[in-house]
Amino acid sequence: MGLIHDLGAGALRHLPAETAHSLSLSLLEAGFGPKQRVPSGLETTLAGLALPNPLGLAAGYDKNAAAPDALLRMGLGFVEVGTITPLPQAGNAKPRLFRLKADGAVINRMGVNNEGLAAGIARLAARAGRPGVVGVNVGANKDSADRAGDYVAGLTAAWPHASYITANISSPNTPGLRGLQEGGALEELLGRLAKARTAATADHGAKPLFLKIAPDLDEEAIGGIVEACVTHGLTGLIVSNTTVARPESLTAPHRAEPGGLSGAPLFEPSTKALRTAAIAAKGRLVLIGAGGVASGAAALAKLKAGASAVQLYSALALQGPGLAPRVLKELKAALATEGFTSVAAAVGADLR
């Protein structure tokens, strides 16, 4: 069956990128996804959540919580759905998703297209009682007059149904959104989220709350975000979202398309930003490393730079459903080679 699924993934890669994305998700939702066997011995924790392994799926693939259980069966240790906004929105004009095959990369300017909170939360509520860590990534509508209020609405609605919540303030495809990473706007947002979290915790229990940031921030900006998160009691950061930078190394025809760049070229800048956040946090925040993870070596590098868990997405789209078992097998071997007796033992090793 693994060969069949890989052949199917190969066929999808001949379709236009967004068509392949939508069809693959529909197939998973209909029950046609693989059930992958992955190595044991990679169990770990993320902000108190027990994970079978540290490899997760980043937000952006399953925007509407259509198939989190099918994705977990692919061998992933956790899945993050979304970004979900309070109201449905169509996103940007097509085409808006581009494969850069020669560069192992993807550019997207989707514009946070999703069916809105009502649809996403209904699906999450329907999976109540099922195992697996499923986080919910929430955001703001493009035309919202109160973007901080949108995050509060998302947190409040998703809290009872999520393993953790992520506030996505770093998508480059919603005009002005990244401004929420700065100064007074950040303080207002985190203050309102903290108040909403207190209320949600009283009603439904404590859960981790993460903030997802951009890789295009300098050391001072990352340090400021870290201190603000600590002050307002957030659990941690996801480092990072896609980048608006365009490295000179890119060669694929679509390399100049506007939008967020992900995949292999994002690995170095996102890992640098992760390390900067880890140094600034000094153990006060839990970090998730995302960006360019396509191998066990890349996953281990994120762990050693301070991440407690890692996320992938673009590599899965480019390489198919057999990726997670391959990465985890490589990670287990790499941990043993470097003398780490567990995933947790590797976390922050480069900083010690």
Side-chain angles (χ1 to χ4, degrees), residues 239-295:
V239 189
S240 70
N241 213 315
T242 58
T243 178
V244 295
R246 293 294 182 270
E248 293 183 3
S249 61
L250 298 178
T251 61
H254 294 298
R255 62 187 180 275
E257 290 286 348
L261 174 71
S262 58
L266 181 58
F267 177 75
E268 288 192 15
S270 63
T271 306
K272 180 181 178 181
L274 170 65
R275 188 177 295 109
T276 299
I279 291 170
K282 299 177 183 176
R284 296 173 293 169
L285 297 175
V286 177
L287 304 178
I288 298 174
V293 175
S295 67

Side-chain angles (χ1 to χ4, degrees), residues 63 83-85 89-91 110-114 139-140 168 171 173-174:
K63 294 179 175 67
T83 299
I84 305 176
T85 55
Q89 59 183 24
M110 302 296 286
V112 195
N113 56 306
N114 73 106
N168 176 16
S171 169
N173 301 314
T174 299

Side-chain angles (χ1 to χ4, degrees), residues 121 136 153-165 193 196-209 235:
I121 298 306
V136 179
L155 181 152
T156 302
W159 196 271
H161 313 290
S163 301
Y164 68 87
I165 301 289
L193 283 175
R197 180 191 193 184
T198 298
T201 298
D203 291 336
H204 302 287
K207 295 182 181 177
L209 174 60
T235 308

